[in-house]
Amino acid sequence: MNDYISTRDAHQSVSSKQAILNGISPDGGLYVLPGLDQIHLDLSLICSKSYKENAVYILSHLLTDYSIDELRMCVENAYSNSFSKEEITPVKKVDDVYVLELFHGPTCAFKDVALTLLPQLMSCALKSTNQKALILTATSGDTGKAALSGFCDVDNIGINVFYPYKKVSAIQYRQMVTQKGKNVKVFGIQGNFDDAQSQVKRLFLDEELNAYCAKQNVMLTSANSINVGRLVPQIVYYFDSYKQLVQQGVIQVGDKVSFTVPTGNFGDVLAGYYAYLMGLPVEKFYVASNANRVLTDFLTSGIYDRNRDFIQTISPSMDILISSNLERLLYYASNKDTQKVAGWMQELNEKGRYQVDEQTFETIKNLFACASVDDNGTRQEIHDVYEKTKYLLDPHSAIAYKVAKDNAGRPVVSLATASPYKFSQDVLKALNINEENEWVAMDELSKYCQDVIPAQLKELRDLAILHNQVIDVDSMKDVVCQSTQEVFHD
Ligand SMILES: *Cc1c(COP(=O)(O)O)cnc(C)c1O
């Protein structure tokens, strides 16, 4: 059942368990399932099932070397107690837009949906080997905490998180540096997210480091959205939101809908594309970006060019210039031409730029549209939507919402990826109230909107800071070596 291959070389094949353990293919490519577009799921069946049942059904087609019982257990462990809403990811009508709320998990961000399930899948896969795994994660803010929370005290797994120092929100910072657990370590990096992510990618391919870890029976792996085990759980809520629209009488089974997705690393919207390839009726995916509009430019011109200034915005989880998961879209859109993909990725590596061929670009343009919203536009949207509907959007979700509204027509589902309370200061500012202190801002926001602060955010300010190391990118290798000692030997 070696059905996963590298986007850059069809001869590098592994099972889904191995793909989840490896994270990235040894040639630097991402694992993909060539037969993905041959899978056809039963939409009517999906529309009659619970979120968890749909998760097992959908994953059983993608992770073929897990037994149904294993998948059931993983899904139960992931979703039984960690989400505050029974639907897991409820859909709410806000004006003419259907908002898919993905932020009711342990850290109030959409990454929880995948990062509650990935540790279960990984732990299950490790049972068939007798190895230990050390997770290396670069984060632009939200992944870090969601991964720490998901992997905390999971047997035989340790985790190191690297975040760009002073480039995450005050709350994101607190969420990470207060994380408990004997197997977790958190480091600030002097640099931005791309610096951290590029270095993590290099470490995975570093022969010396891998040999050092192998001697201790430890394998290095990732929890970033390049991991298959991160990607596939996200497919479920695209189908499940469709189910909710059917159940709410908005559409009938078979009708097309559109999705707008606030995008950074291209993981979330790619999961939607996977759902589409597996039979979900989709009209368009709108890739919504902030002022770092590298994807907007790519989807307009066919040229991906990361040679530009990195802009810090009020939607930090989308402040990204290299959207790694785009590589998987290129694989499918180029008719699974691994040589072409390898060539583009080499150009990206060497020149920071590549241009896809006409046919690949046409295929992409038929399904994907794009727009970018800057900080002023984002604040305006938070303000206007609240005034009109009393619904509060966080900056990331507001970007998608604006794009949804601007492109109304068919039923459009707009993905809401974080609780507004995670970004209280900026959200409050959008409502024309300035408050310097993030924690006071959280209280003010809740008073203003007569709404409750999620408990997992409210408690943060009283927790002790447990991780205060800030390091250079060049020191990341050393701290990883130390971690293999400290995490597994005490
Ligand atoms: C990570 C994140 C995004 C971007 O998702 P990608 O999968 O990286 O495109 C958007 N919003 C929030 C709140 C996030 O945490």
Side-chain angles (χ1 to χ4, degrees):
M1 282 195 279
N2 283 350
D3 39 16
Y4 278 80
I5 62 154
S6 163
T7 43
R8 302 183 193 178
D9 182 358
H11 304 294
Q12 307 244 4
S13 70
V14 296
S15 68
S16 61
K17 281 184 179 170
Q18 200 60 50
I20 286 173
L21 290 178
N22 289 0
I24 191 167
S25 169
D27 64 352
L30 309 189
Y31 288 115
V32 283
L33 194 58
L36 187 72
D37 47 2
Q38 314 298 311
I39 300 170
H40 292 293
L41 299 183
D42 182 341
L43 261 189
S44 300
L45 187 73
I46 286 173
C47 289
S48 70
K49 299 237 180 239
S50 72
Y51 189 97
K52 285 192 268 182
E53 288 167 334
N54 280 333
V56 174
Y57 173 62
I58 294 165
L59 294 185
S60 70
H61 289 82
L62 296 163
L63 307 177
T64 52
D65 57 334
Y66 286 78
S67 70
I68 290 286
D69 283 341
E70 284 176 329
L71 289 177
R72 258 193 215 117
M73 199 178 67
C74 290
V75 166
E76 272 306 314
N77 289 345
Y79 298 129
S80 288
N81 301 309
S82 51
F83 282 73
S84 60
K85 299 280 182 220
E86 169 139 9
E87 306 96 318
I88 311 286
T89 59
V91 175
K92 284 196 187 145
K93 186 165 194 281
V94 178
D95 217 0
D96 290 333
V97 174
Y98 295 89
V99 175
L100 171 56
E101 295 185 340
L102 302 174
F103 52 77
H104 295 294
T107 78
C108 299
F110 98 95
K111 294 186 174 66
D112 287 328
V113 180
L115 280 164
T116 41
L117 186 51
L118 172 70
Q120 304 299 327
L121 295 171
M122 212 175 249
S123 161
C124 182
L126 274 172
K127 275 183 198 141
S128 359
T129 73
N130 51 22
Q131 283 182 303
K132 299 176 168 101
L134 181 66
I135 314 291
L136 305 184
T137 296
T139 180
S140 56
D142 283 338
T143 305
K145 175 60 183 185
L148 289 164
S149 160
F151 282 103
C152 168
D153 292 337
V154 173
D155 283 346
N156 296 320
I157 303 184
I159 175 164
N160 285 358
V161 165
F162 303 96
Y163 68 94
Y165 187 58
K166 298 219 159 140
K167 293 194 174 70
V168 299
S169 82
I171 292 169
Q172 289 175 325
Y173 170 75
R174 273 247 145 196
Q175 280 189 312
M176 287 189 277
V177 298
T178 58
Q179 177 66 45
K180 298 191 179 98
K182 56 184 190 307
N183 62 338
V184 312
K185 292 199 174 289
V186 181
F187 302 95
I189 293 299
Q190 304 284 10
N192 61 35
F193 169 70
D194 286 324
D195 298 328
Q197 172 159 273
S198 300
Q199 184 65 3
V200 164
K201 281 188 182 176
R202 278 192 287 273
L203 293 182
F204 284 129
L205 305 175
D206 187 307
E207 283 178 24
E208 188 189 36
L209 180 63
N210 278 289
Y212 177 86
C213 293
K215 257 193 241 153
Q216 302 170 71
N217 210 21
V218 174
M219 65 182 302
L220 295 178
T221 190
S222 88
N224 277 70
S225 63
I226 50 178
N227 192 306
V228 168
R230 265 290 294 284
L231 194 56
V232 294
Q234 300 179 348
I235 299 169
V236 178
Y237 53 71
Y238 282 90
F239 280 103
D240 198 80
S241 64
Y242 189 89
K243 167 195 91 181
Q244 292 183 58
L245 291 187
V246 170
Q247 290 178 348
Q248 291 173 20
V250 180
I251 53 167
Q252 296 191 327
V253 178
D255 290 349
K256 285 186 179 177
V257 299
S258 291
F259 291 89
T260 59
V261 188
T263 299
N265 215 10
F266 210 79
D268 201 1
V269 67
L270 183 83
Y273 178 63
Y274 276 27
Y276 162 82
L277 291 179
M278 295 166 79
L280 186 68
V282 176
E283 175 77 24
K284 278 269 190 259
F285 289 106
Y286 291 92
V287 176
S289 302
N290 63 23
N292 293 294
R293 42 177 293 149
V294 64
L295 285 168
T296 317
D297 293 342
F298 171 69
L299 293 169
T300 313
S301 67
I303 299 170
Y304 194 98
D305 190 353
R306 65 146 304 178
N307 301 307
R308 61 180 76 207
D309 289 338
F310 177 89
I311 302 168
Q312 226 176 308
T313 72
I314 58 170
S315 44
S317 299
M318 297 158 68
D319 289 348
I320 286 173
L321 293 181
I322 301 182
S323 298
S324 304
N325 266 304
L326 185 65
E327 182 170 346
R328 288 187 163 112
L329 171 61
L330 296 179
Y331 167 80
Y332 289 104
S334 68
N335 251 322
K336 308 175 191 175
D337 191 329
T338 52
Q339 265 183 334
K340 269 189 190 164
V341 176
W344 293 324
M345 290 305 119
Q346 193 179 346
E347 284 180 53
L348 180 65
N349 209 6
E350 288 165 5
K351 294 182 230 142
R353 182 182 193 278
Y354 61 86
Q355 174 163 23
V356 297
D357 61 273
E358 201 61 39
Q359 210 178 350
T360 302
F361 187 46
E362 276 306 310
T363 305
I364 293 174
K365 267 204 308 199
N366 281 335
L367 190 62
F368 289 88
C370 60
S372 125
V373 182
D374 66 10
D375 280 355
N376 283 334
T378 306
R379 286 193 202 97
Q380 190 69 47
E381 193 63 16
I382 294 171
H383 175 268
D384 293 353
V385 173
Y386 185 74
E387 285 302 307
K388 189 164 183 208
T389 68
K390 298 291 174 238
Y391 188 86
L392 201 57
L393 291 158
D394 97 285
H396 305 79
S397 311
I399 289 174
Y401 191 94
K402 176 163 172 50
V403 176
K405 218 174 58 185
D406 291 349
N407 293 283
R410 272 185 200 281
V412 51
V413 177
S414 186
L415 276 60
T417 48
S419 159
Y421 289 98
K422 271 197 95 166
F423 303 92
S424 298
Q425 221 173 355
D426 287 314
V427 171
L428 205 56
K429 192 169 168 196
L431 302 173
N432 298 320
I433 304 169
N434 284 314
E435 171 52 60
E436 286 302 308
N437 183 300
E438 189 74 52
W439 307 102
V440 179
M442 204 188 266
D443 287 335
E444 286 296 313
L445 189 61
S446 126
K447 262 189 246 154
Y448 186 85
C449 301
Q450 301 180 339
D451 190 14
V452 284
I453 304 171
Q456 59 272 50
L457 294 180
K458 197 174 166 64
E459 71 177 18
L460 276 177
R461 71 187 95 176
D462 302 322
L463 298 178
I465 290 179
L466 304 173
H467 308 271
N468 51 17
Q469 250 179 295
V470 180
I471 60 172
D472 290 328
V473 168
D474 291 340
S475 309
M476 284 167 63
K477 186 168 167 177
D478 291 339
V479 301
V480 170
C481 287
Q482 275 167 24
S483 288
T484 59
Q485 298 287 339
E486 291 167 19
V487 167
F488 300 113
H489 305 275
D490 64 354

